[in-house]
Amino acid sequence: MLKGKKIVLGITGSIAAYKAAILVRLLVKAGAEVQVVMTPSGKEFISPLTLSTLSGNAVLSEFFNERSGEWHSHVSLGLWADAMIIAPASAATIAKMATGVADNLLITTYLSMKAPVFVAPAMDLDMYAHPSTTRNIEQLKAYGNHIIEPAAGELASHLVGKGRMEEPENIVRAIEEYFTSMAEPASPLSGKKIVITAGPTYEKIDPVRFIGNYSSGKMGYALAEECALAGADVTLVSGPVSLATPHPAIHRIDVESAAEMYDAARASFTDADAAILCAAVADFTPDTRATEKIKREKGSGLTLQLKPTPDIAASLGAEKRPGQRLVGFALETHDAEAHAREKLAKKNLDFIVLNSLEDKGAGFAVDTNKVTIIDAESATSYPLKSKREVARDIVKHLSTLFVSLLLMMLLPAGVQAQELKANITLNTEKIDGTNNEVFDVLKNSLDEFINNTSWTEYEFEEHERIACNFSIVVESYAEDGTFECSLMVQSLRPIYGSSYSTPVFKYQDNEVEFKYMAYDRLEYKEDNLDNNLTAIIAFYAYLIIGLDMDTMGELGGTEFLNKAQNIASGAQSLGGTGWQSGTSTRNRFTIIDDYMNTALLPVRQMMYSYHRKGFDIMFREADKGRAEIAKSLELLQSGYQDRPLSYFPKLFTEYKQEELINIFSQGPAKERKQAVEILTEINPSLTSSWDKISTI
Ligand code: PMT
């Protein structure tokens, strides 16, 4: 991810500067080009010579080189860089960055920087905890800089606390993650309107006293930032906290009491796509509020009469429209999961994030949290992480609901299908010298025929279409318009939450024969297969759509696979090759007949289980996804055992060969062993490939 990236590394005066040498080495090793810029006091802690040797570039520190008179332009560095990292960032540099005190080359470079800036603070615990540092860091965040939080541990002063610069490996990881996230396709949350409640509520007793709680707002604000980074349109309904709005695109509404939060959240939820209710809302408020300060009466106590506050979550849950998503939090002290599940059901939530005060480092005010995400079907527990990382996990979980929502829109009750986005290539090298005009016309007509025919009754956006390739190699061409060809058909399906596309079908058809004269009309009629070429294309179009739909819903492609089967039966009388039943060669007829045979039902179920239950979650939960894929191989095996002469299981293992090796070589020994056994049984000709699963 960092290969070829240009990085300005700013080093300031801190004992942690020695780690900058490791950081430079790691960045260079990852393929980045590094330009070090140091503050004058940074040079007291680590020698520029070390850094220039490691980076391969002269270190910059002064505005101009006294010896050569060369001017060091901070403006051109700002334009040159793909990222700037300031590590270590001392309290003084952070303060200068927050206020724009441009008295050294590092700060002027920062002020001119067009690329994202990452700041890794390093200082003693008291300096880090000082309100001015906190305020300056919040200010840097508000400018859009990325803060790489310092770790807690023993500091240079021998005191123990937070302030130690994050380890260079983790800094590099943070930057890699940033570039990866930038390269990823648009998040499913992009453009979604999301309401987030955060912080405590204050319920006034009199003008000077209130009932409140310890919520700092950190968890809710981290969620708001992550959603905004995912491209969502965020409304943050915030109780009284001392945090700056974490992202310039967030619309923030400040409230104080539960009643105010209720009004603001309800009003914003009307046209929202989702709400995440992270606020610690008071459950009770004083029945009456004294207008004047309640005086202490000698010898007598004070009894407050309380009444319940409105339950925001329950109210939004009751109003939730189909398609709207609602996420709640549960802060528990005992019987945590049971209580959380109760809230999940009672408040009509899509999922609930449980944090328990029984867990050290979780809950109120701290920078970390330990959560379990619970929905109607499952509970996933995460280790203790920074609230930022927890927010990322929650956002990922929410994103999958929008992906499944998209799928549900595509696949209501009986499962709908998508159109094709076909790429056609026509290779005529083997018959060079023939008049080529007819091939050009054929290629254009085929393109138009495949991509403009409505293969389904539904309307789909361009980006929702199934990607497939038809690659035709012309073997011979006769003057009467007879073509003999081989055809490679291939289709790919995207994996949700990733940029990866997985093969769903790949097949080489060597028996393509058809007649075509330039400007013949390519037209397909279901009930009148009068052109062998359009029959071939329609057959593969329906087969691809059907197979793809089988990966989306269990046996979801039946309607389209039936169409492909009808074409294969009907085309037998057309005279072209590739359609005959009972011939020894594998052909179109046999493939579809095989796949639709009841004995192969487990294989069709495998298509769903492998892709939808396995692959679609693998990029979120690698182990869980891989385990599902392992289970799906058992389905493949049982289909194969029911019909050992069938072709499809072999074909599947062939075009998934690389993918299967990659998936299982990351798994535990038991899964690897089982996969090798099954795959070797189904496709012994690839034994040497399957062996790689155990040896990699
Ligand atoms: O702000 P931090 O210091 O970072 O701390 C984070 C947090 C601990 C506050 C946060 O992680 C959290 O757990 N928030 C929910 C706290 C809470 O009130 O939990 P609960 O179990 O009492 O409420 C259940 C759900 O109903 C919550 O989503 C809550 O927002 C919602 N609720 C509760 C009462 C009410 N009147 N209206 C509500 O909407």
Side-chain angles (χ1 to χ4, degrees):
M1 249 310 146
L2 293 183
K3 197 155 193 284
K5 291 278 184 280
K6 300 187 186 81
I7 295 187
V8 169
L9 174 62
I11 299 172
T12 74
S14 155
I15 192 76
Y18 76 93
K19 290 188 190 172
I22 306 168
L23 185 53
V24 174
R25 200 165 55 82
L26 291 174
L27 290 168
V28 170
K29 209 168 145 204
E33 190 179 341
V34 180
Q35 174 60 64
V36 174
V37 179
M38 300 180 84
T39 61
S41 64
K43 292 194 285 187
E44 306 284 332
F45 289 88
I46 182 165
S47 130
L49 184 61
T50 308
L51 297 163
S52 63
T53 310
L54 288 170
S55 67
N57 285 317
V59 167
L60 304 180
S61 180
E62 311 300 334
F63 287 105
F64 64 95
N65 184 327
E66 281 182 10
R67 249 187 277 158
S68 65
E70 187 192 349
W71 169 250
H72 296 142
S73 167
H74 51 89
V75 177
S76 52
L77 274 178
L79 292 171
W80 171 83
D82 294 308
M84 180 176 192
I85 310 171
I86 302 174
S90 64
T93 290
I94 289 173
K96 288 180 192 177
M97 288 166 72
T99 49
V101 178
D103 65 350
N104 63 46
L105 184 66
L106 192 154
I107 301 289
T108 52
T109 304
Y110 162 71
L111 292 176
S112 309
M113 190 50 61
K114 297 278 177 274
V117 179
F118 297 82
V119 183
M123 62 198 79
D124 234 324
L125 76 166
D126 295 325
M127 289 172 81
Y128 186 70
H130 195 278
S132 65
T133 307
T134 308
R135 195 192 57 216
N136 289 336
I137 289 180
E138 288 303 326
Q139 189 60 57
L140 292 192
K141 282 189 197 168
Y143 292 154
N145 297 306
H146 304 262
I147 306 296
I148 301 174
E149 296 272 337
E154 189 175 348
L155 301 162
S157 58
H158 301 301
L159 293 171
V160 176
K162 194 166 173 179
R164 203 165 70 172
M165 186 179 94
E166 188 49 280
E167 293 307 320
E169 290 79 5
N170 293 337
I171 295 178
V172 171
R173 191 170 312 130
I175 290 148
E176 279 175 338
E177 275 173 11
Y178 170 83
F179 282 117
T180 309
S181 70
M182 288 295 112
E184 274 172 7
S187 154
L189 295 194
S190 175
K192 296 273 180 288
K193 181 174 175 193
I194 300 182
V195 181
I196 295 171
T197 66
T201 62
Y202 287 176
E203 309 302 320
K204 275 195 174 138
I205 298 169
D206 68 14
V208 296
R209 302 181 182 94
F210 60 83
I211 299 172
N213 60 62
Y214 297 110
S215 172
S216 62
K218 286 179 185 171
M219 189 66 250
Y221 274 55
L223 276 163
E225 183 174 9
E226 281 304 316
C227 288
L229 287 172
D233 170 9
V234 179
T235 300
L236 175 61
V237 181
S238 175
V241 297
S242 56
L243 298 177
T245 310
H247 193 283
I250 294 173
H251 170 55
R252 172 167 162 179
I253 304 174
D254 286 313
V255 296
E256 191 174 284
S257 65
E260 285 170 14
M261 189 172 272
Y262 174 77
D263 288 342
R266 281 195 62 187
S268 309
F269 191 59
T270 330
D271 62 344
D273 297 290
I276 309 176
L277 306 173
C278 182
V281 187
D283 286 316
F284 295 95
T285 190
D287 201 4
T288 52
R289 184 189 305 163
T291 49
E292 289 172 355
K293 185 177 173 189
I294 301 171
K295 293 276 177 248
R296 185 186 166 102
E297 300 287 349
K298 239 192 181 165
S300 68
L302 174 69
T303 304
L304 281 176
Q305 182 69 33
L306 301 177
K307 62 178 181 190
T309 55
D311 187 328
I312 304 168
S315 152
L316 299 190
E319 284 170 16
K320 192 169 75 166
R321 284 180 280 109
Q324 274 187 315
R325 298 301 188 191
L326 192 58
V327 179
F329 269 71
L331 181 64
E332 305 295 343
T333 52
H334 62 285
D335 296 335
E337 186 164 336
H339 285 134
R341 284 207 174 276
E342 223 171 87
K343 288 175 186 170
L344 175 78
K346 212 165 113 196
K347 302 184 189 223
N348 192 20
L349 305 170
D350 291 281
F351 67 88
I352 193 158
V353 182
L354 163 67
N355 41 189
S356 169
L357 293 183
E358 282 178 312
D359 290 320
K360 209 163 168 259
F364 286 131
V366 283
D367 289 328
T368 49
N369 209 353
K370 185 170 183 315
V371 303
T372 302
I373 296 185
I374 302 174
D375 60 26
E377 286 159 14
S378 62
T380 312
S381 295
Y382 295 83
L384 187 73
K385 295 180 177 192
S386 72
K387 281 189 172 160
R388 186 74 189 270
E389 288 170 305
V390 172
R392 228 169 271 158
D393 291 333
I394 296 168
V395 164
K396 263 196 205 159
H397 204 83
L398 180 61
S399 303
T400 62
L401 297 190
F402 283 104
V403 170
S404 355
L405 194 68
L406 182 80
L407 283 172
M408 278 164 60
M409 281 154 57
L410 291 172
L411 310 171
V415 186
Q416 298 180 356
Q418 297 162 292
E419 294 289 355
L420 297 180
K421 186 183 172 97
N423 181 33
I424 315 261
T425 54
L426 190 65
N427 182 333
T428 55
E429 265 172 28
K430 290 196 180 168
I431 51 157
D432 264 357
T434 319
N435 173 8
N436 273 351
E437 193 192 348
V438 66
F439 304 119
D440 295 342
V441 181
L442 174 60
K443 156 119 179 46
N444 291 340
S445 310
L446 270 178
D447 255 340
E448 204 181 307
F449 172 64
I450 297 177
N451 289 315
N452 289 349
T453 301
S454 290
W455 301 106
T456 75
E457 291 167 6
Y458 311 104
E459 299 239 336
F460 288 92
E461 301 287 328
E462 190 73 15
H463 69 271
E464 293 165 342
R465 296 181 169 215
I466 298 172
C468 59
N469 283 308
F470 289 81
S471 176
I472 301 172
V473 178
V474 181
E475 306 287 341
S476 71
Y477 167 60
E479 285 300 312
D480 70 345
T482 304
F483 284 79
E484 283 181 347
C485 311
S486 65
L487 167 66
M488 169 62 91
V489 189
Q490 197 174 1
S491 79
L492 291 170
R493 168 195 188 282
I495 296 302
Y496 295 101
S498 82
S499 51
Y500 178 71
S501 288
T502 183
V504 171
F505 182 63
K506 188 172 171 192
Y507 178 67
Q508 170 92 19
D509 182 339
N510 290 323
E511 297 181 276
V512 179
E513 191 184 286
F514 58 90
K515 269 196 170 190
Y516 176 81
M517 300 297 274
Y519 307 110
D520 275 358
R521 263 189 85 185
L522 289 185
E523 204 177 26
Y524 166 71
K525 291 198 194 96
E526 202 170 309
D527 49 355
N528 181 13
L529 298 174
D530 59 355
N531 181 329
N532 194 29
L533 173 60
T534 53
I536 293 171
I537 299 298
F539 167 80
Y540 282 115
Y542 287 132
L543 179 67
I544 288 170
I545 295 173
L547 289 174
D548 198 85
M549 289 298 102
D550 265 7
T551 73
M552 299 282 188
E554 203 167 80
L555 309 184
T558 306
E559 178 190 348
F560 300 95
L561 294 163
N562 280 338
K563 288 189 181 206
Q565 199 167 24
N566 289 342
I567 295 173
S569 315
Q572 292 192 40
S573 58
L574 287 180
T577 59
W579 298 112
Q580 308 311 315
S581 67
T583 52
S584 57
T585 31
R586 297 288 169 185
N587 61 20
R588 276 157 244 143
F589 180 88
T590 326
I591 291 180
I592 189 71
D593 193 52
D594 192 17
Y595 189 70
M596 296 302 275
N597 190 295
T598 5
L600 237 58
L601 260 189
V603 173
R604 289 190 63 194
Q605 286 161 336
M606 175 276 306
M607 289 294 277
Y608 170 69
S609 153
Y610 182 100
H611 296 93
R612 185 84 182 89
K613 287 165 85 181
F615 237 130
D616 280 346
I617 64 156
M618 208 164 110
F619 282 83
R620 273 182 289 126
E621 295 169 69
D623 293 347
K624 206 166 151 189
R626 206 188 45 251
E628 282 294 343
I629 291 176
K631 264 198 252 162
S632 72
L633 283 194
E634 291 174 27
L635 288 168
L636 184 68
Q637 185 183 33
S638 97
Y640 172 75
Q641 284 168 348
D642 289 350
R643 202 169 152 82
L645 293 180
S646 63
Y647 188 52
F648 202 84
K650 263 197 188 62
L651 185 63
F652 179 87
T653 51
E654 242 165 62
Y655 66 72
K656 292 282 196 187
Q657 189 178 339
E658 292 299 316
E659 188 173 280
L660 287 161
I661 296 170
N662 282 340
I663 294 170
F664 286 110
S665 51
Q666 291 164 31
K670 200 171 146 219
E671 254 174 39
R672 288 182 186 218
K673 189 165 168 279
Q674 187 204 16
V676 172
E677 277 168 18
I678 295 178
L679 294 166
T680 310
E681 180 191 343
I682 294 172
N683 201 337
S685 67
L686 296 177
T687 304
S688 57
S689 291
W690 310 136
D691 284 346
K692 284 188 203 159
I693 293 176
S694 4
T695 51
I696 282 179

